[in-house]
């Protein structure tokens, strides 16, 4: 069975540009979460989506947005990129929105902002 | 507030030794913790979790201990193998009404043969 898949794996952008990252959850999983992992640090929560609705949001500016599609895949959008947005962006899926559900992470998209 | 932290950034052990990775947290109301393993180029992988109604939980070669008095938890890996080399994170799962993990900085475990 395929795990969580993310695309692209690597991306280089310049300051001020916009980026869209994509995530396909494990088949049957309805919840998708996004995390940002800066080099040398632990992942930091950005969003959780369940049944196409935002269920939770972390402490990130409005430049960050996301959406979930009817097939439960998800996109993370970042506008007006800053150098500090350079990071590994991780997507995680789970079967339900329950707190106790195990999260399954993809391998991430490495974003470099120059 | 929500925060977790680790005592050591890097732990070096010999193959076959037991490894202990420590983690401290600050919120006395925290009641659910998870340990993740992240290998180079991959996302975090669930290892084991523990809730505050337990002091100890065991898995395959791993044991998590929770000391609520001093707000400390540890991950013990028995008979450490080269394949255990990775960064290990403790994460708190706060009761926010949605799925959110608060990760610590991580400890790099290096296993030499």
């Amino acid at each position: 069975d395929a795990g969580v898949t993310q695309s692209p794996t690597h991306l280089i952008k310049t300051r001020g540009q916009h980026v869209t990252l994509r995530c396909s959850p494990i088949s049957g999983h309805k919840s998708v979460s996004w995390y940002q992992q800066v080099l040398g640090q632990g992942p930091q929560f950005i969003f959780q989506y369940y049944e196409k609705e935002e269920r939770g949001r972390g402490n990130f500016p409005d430049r960050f947005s996301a959406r979930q599609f009817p097939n439960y895949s998800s996109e993370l959008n970042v506008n007006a990129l800053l150098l500090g947005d350079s990071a590994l962006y991780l997507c995680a899926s789970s079967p339900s929105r329950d707190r106790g559900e195990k999260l399954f992470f993809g391998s991430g998209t490495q974003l470099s902002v120059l | 507030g929500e925060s977790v932290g680790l005592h050591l950034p890097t732990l070096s052990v010999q193959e076959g030794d037991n490894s202990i990775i420590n983690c401290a947290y600050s919120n006395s109301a925290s009641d659910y913790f998870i340990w993740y393993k992240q290998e180079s180029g991959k996302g975090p992988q669930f290892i084991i979790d523990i809730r505050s109604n337990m002091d100890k939980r065991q898995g395959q070669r791993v044991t998590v201990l929770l000391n609520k008095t001093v707000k400390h938890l540890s991950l013990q890996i028995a008979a450490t193998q080269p394949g255990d080399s990775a960064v290990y994170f403790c994460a708190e799962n706060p009761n926010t009404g949605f799925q959110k993990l608060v990760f610590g900085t991580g400890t790099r475990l290096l296993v030499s043969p």
Side-chain angles (χ1 to χ4, degrees):
Chain A
D1 286 343
V4 176
T5 58
Q6 294 186 242
S7 63
T9 55
H10 296 82
L11 200 53
I12 299 175
K13 291 286 189 178
T14 56
R15 282 178 297 174
Q17 286 189 315
H18 161 271
V19 68
T20 298
L21 311 181
R22 296 177 174 81
C23 171
S24 293
I26 293 172
S27 178
H29 286 197
K30 298 181 178 181
S31 175
V32 169
S33 299
W34 288 94
Y35 286 77
Q36 180 195 65
Q37 186 175 22
V38 174
L39 187 63
Q41 297 183 17
Q44 188 173 1
F45 173 79
I46 309 175
F47 289 111
Q48 185 207 0
Y49 275 77
Y50 178 76
E51 293 283 10
K52 297 171 297 204
E53 291 188 12
E54 181 184 304
R55 302 293 178 171
R57 184 185 185 112
N59 188 24
F60 279 82
D62 292 342
R63 298 185 296 107
F64 289 76
S65 63
R67 55 179 176 170
Q68 186 177 33
F69 299 98
N71 66 353
Y72 304 112
S73 67
S74 178
E75 284 182 353
L76 176 69
N77 295 285
V78 186
N79 292 324
L81 284 166
L82 304 175
L83 296 179
D85 295 331
S86 295
L88 179 68
Y89 288 84
L90 295 161
C91 174
S93 75
S94 67
S96 75
R97 59 180 293 191
D98 293 342
R99 179 190 178 205
E101 283 282 6
K102 188 185 301 183
L103 296 188
F104 295 83
F105 284 85
S107 295
T109 293
Q110 184 66 54
L111 173 64
S112 298
V113 182
L114 306 179
Chain B
E2 303 167 347
S3 67
V4 289
L6 299 182
H7 293 299
L8 295 173
T10 304
L11 176 64
S12 296
V13 300
Q14 295 284 329
E15 181 178 0
D17 287 351
N18 295 331
S19 302
I20 299 176
I21 301 171
N22 296 303
C23 182
Y25 62 96
S26 59
N27 186 356
S28 58
S30 298
D31 64 351
Y32 184 25
F33 302 91
I34 307 110
W35 282 97
Y36 280 87
K37 171 186 179 183
Q38 187 173 24
E39 297 175 276
S40 180
K42 297 183 179 180
Q45 178 184 6
F46 174 94
I47 301 173
I48 192 169
D49 60 1
I50 188 168
R51 294 183 184 267
S52 60
N53 61 348
M54 304 176 70
D55 297 325
K56 177 179 179 179
R57 193 167 187 211
Q58 290 184 291
Q60 188 176 11
R61 285 201 304 118
V62 295
T63 300
V64 55
L65 300 178
L66 176 61
N67 186 329
K68 295 178 287 291
T69 302
V70 295
K71 298 197 282 286
H72 179 273
L73 64 160
S74 65
L75 177 70
Q76 301 179 3
I77 305 174
T80 313
Q81 303 168 359
D84 295 326
S85 294
V87 177
Y88 290 80
F89 294 97
C90 65
E92 178 195 356
N93 188 335
N95 192 3
T96 57
F98 51 90
Q99 288 177 349
K100 173 184 176 180
L101 298 178
V102 179
F103 285 83
T105 305
T107 292
R108 180 173 300 279
L109 178 64
L110 299 175
V111 183
S112 51

